[in-house]
Amino acid sequence: MRIVVLAGGIGGARFLRGLKAAAPDADITVIGNTGDDIHLFGLKVCPDLDTVMYTLGGGINEEQGWGRADETFRVKEELAAYGVGPEWFGLGDRDFATHIVRTQMLSAGYPLSAVTEALCDRWQPGVRLLPMSDDRIETHVAVDEDGERRAIHFQEYWVRLRASVPAHAVVPVGADQAEPAPGVLEAIAEADVVLFPPSNPVVSVGTILAVPGIREAIAEAGVPVIGLSPIVGDAPVRGMADKVLAAVGVESTAAAVARHYGAARPLAARDGEERAGGAGLLHGWLVDSVDAGAVQEVAAAGIRCRAVPLMMTDLDATAAMAREALALAEEVRAS
Ligand code: FO1
């Protein structure tokens, strides 16, 4: 079975660990978000790609969900001693090596997709990790600071400001001129199922869908597209999804996010039966048990919906979620 997963950072990476356990023989391609990428100290940092690579490769700082395990911060301290900022982004010594190798290869002319493949040679994540695009895309957030409206880098919004001020707009700068990375559209076209993990629907999955061609490829793939809600009990399980959902006018509920992704056109109608067209992407949506009340509303929007435990408390819980998503995909395929 060929599975394509649109993944952001921590939530997506943790879900992938469970998916690998649930479908050990599956051929999994991850389309990774690169809108969180940031250039610091002359280096290109790719937080979401690295979180997937480290998490599946066994190098992640488990409690943080980002960065490397067993880190030290000598380089960061020395940069601060030189007064070279920013100090608010915690880059560890081991993590610096990843960014040095990445930047060195990019400077030599390798595209980000080739660089990511090379880095994964070391980490062996057990999935094919593709950046959504080889072109530079950076998510910026419009905020009011010191009485004026400013666009700041997503990392500054999230890490420096802890998303403590309202986001008035979220813009994936460069997305409209970008192209999907080599292999992305092919992976979607060849997929048996496409999954939206519990990643941030705006700055992670949303940014991937903003790359021209990707949304269309998923809509035309003609296979089940199943999502898992990152919102549980009207709040994000972690991160700032509620803040960026508000910026795009979507309320922070499991049902609202499903509607935001939209109901897909039903899979190929059988024996000429007429089927209502959906301009969206989802055939199925999993909500957490606490949101069982939302199942009706999601189903009424034309998206099959089930309420199952969605807290990724450990590998077994996450594998169970992944199995539920794959089962829902088969139900959609058979319907
Ligand atoms: N998140 C933080 O909350 N504080 C940090 O200092 C921080 C540093 C950092 C360094 C490398 C990296 O790959 C990720 C890092 N993150 C940090 C997490 C990052 O902001 C998020 O993982 C994604 O961008 C959102 O999914």
Side-chain angles (χ1 to χ4, degrees):
M1 160 168 309
R2 292 171 299 230
I3 305 173
V4 165
V5 184
L6 273 60
I10 300 162
R14 287 195 173 145
F15 173 77
L16 283 162
R17 234 177 354 204
L19 179 64
K20 279 175 66 181
D25 303 330
D27 167 5
I28 301 171
T29 298
V30 178
I31 299 173
N33 171 42
T34 60
D36 290 5
D37 294 1
I38 184 167
H39 290 76
L40 292 172
F41 314 112
L43 300 172
K44 183 178 175 82
V45 180
C46 300
D48 281 1
L49 297 180
D50 291 348
T51 291
V52 170
M53 184 173 75
Y54 291 156
T55 299
L56 300 185
I60 196 75
N61 175 317
E62 195 58 50
E63 50 284 349
Q64 272 179 183
W66 53 266
R68 285 280 280 108
D70 312 322
E71 263 298 11
T72 51
F73 293 90
R74 290 281 177 273
V75 174
K76 185 171 175 357
E77 289 156 14
E78 290 299 303
L79 287 164
Y82 280 114
V84 172
E87 293 193 35
W88 46 264
F89 200 73
L91 285 172
D93 298 328
R94 295 179 188 275
D95 201 27
F96 263 114
T98 299
H99 314 315
I100 291 167
V101 172
R102 175 182 295 117
T103 307
Q104 184 174 303
M105 288 187 71
L106 289 170
S107 307
Y110 292 97
L112 183 58
S113 45
V115 174
T116 305
E117 191 176 353
L119 293 172
C120 286
D121 262 355
R122 170 191 173 186
W123 290 103
Q124 296 297 310
V127 301
R128 191 159 63 116
L129 176 58
L130 301 175
M132 65 192 193
S133 174
D134 283 338
D135 301 317
R136 180 166 176 174
I137 298 170
E138 287 188 8
T139 299
H140 284 224
V141 179
V143 299
D144 289 336
E145 205 173 25
D146 309 329
E148 58 171 29
R149 181 66 52 97
R150 295 173 57 215
I152 58 176
H153 190 286
F154 166 75
Q155 293 298 349
E156 187 169 358
Y157 177 65
W158 170 232
V159 177
R160 184 171 70 79
L161 296 181
R162 300 311 309 164
S164 59
V165 296
H168 296 289
V170 178
V171 182
V173 176
D176 37 8
Q177 285 93 25
E179 287 184 1
V184 165
L185 298 184
E186 293 80 355
I188 295 169
E190 290 159 12
D192 297 307
V193 60
V194 176
L195 298 181
F196 290 6
S199 287
N200 189 304
V202 179
V203 295
S204 293
V205 178
T207 304
I208 297 168
L209 294 173
V211 177
I214 291 183
R215 175 185 290 273
E216 297 78 1
I218 293 171
E220 285 149 25
V223 295
V225 179
I226 309 295
L228 298 95
S229 179
I231 302 293
V232 171
D234 298 353
V237 175
R238 59 182 300 139
M240 79 329 284
D242 51 334
K243 297 291 177 78
V244 290
L245 280 164
V248 297
V250 176
E251 57 180 318
S252 182
T253 69
V257 175
R259 282 199 308 272
H260 175 59
Y261 286 135
R265 201 177 47 245
L267 295 179
R270 283 175 182 62
D271 46 69
E273 116 199 40
E274 212 19 61
R275 293 213 170 174
L281 296 173
L282 288 181
H283 295 100
W285 184 245
L286 293 184
V287 301
D288 186 80
S289 318
V290 301
D291 293 310
V295 171
Q296 273 305 85
E297 181 182 344
V298 176
I303 302 165
R304 278 175 190 273
C305 188
R306 275 191 188 156
V308 300
L310 286 187
M311 300 309 284
M312 299 189 280
T313 47
D314 57 24
L315 185 60
D316 289 346
T318 313
M321 287 161 57
R323 272 192 289 276
E324 288 284 0
L326 295 176
L328 186 51
E330 291 320 307
E331 184 184 310
V332 166
R333 200 189 308 275
S335 68

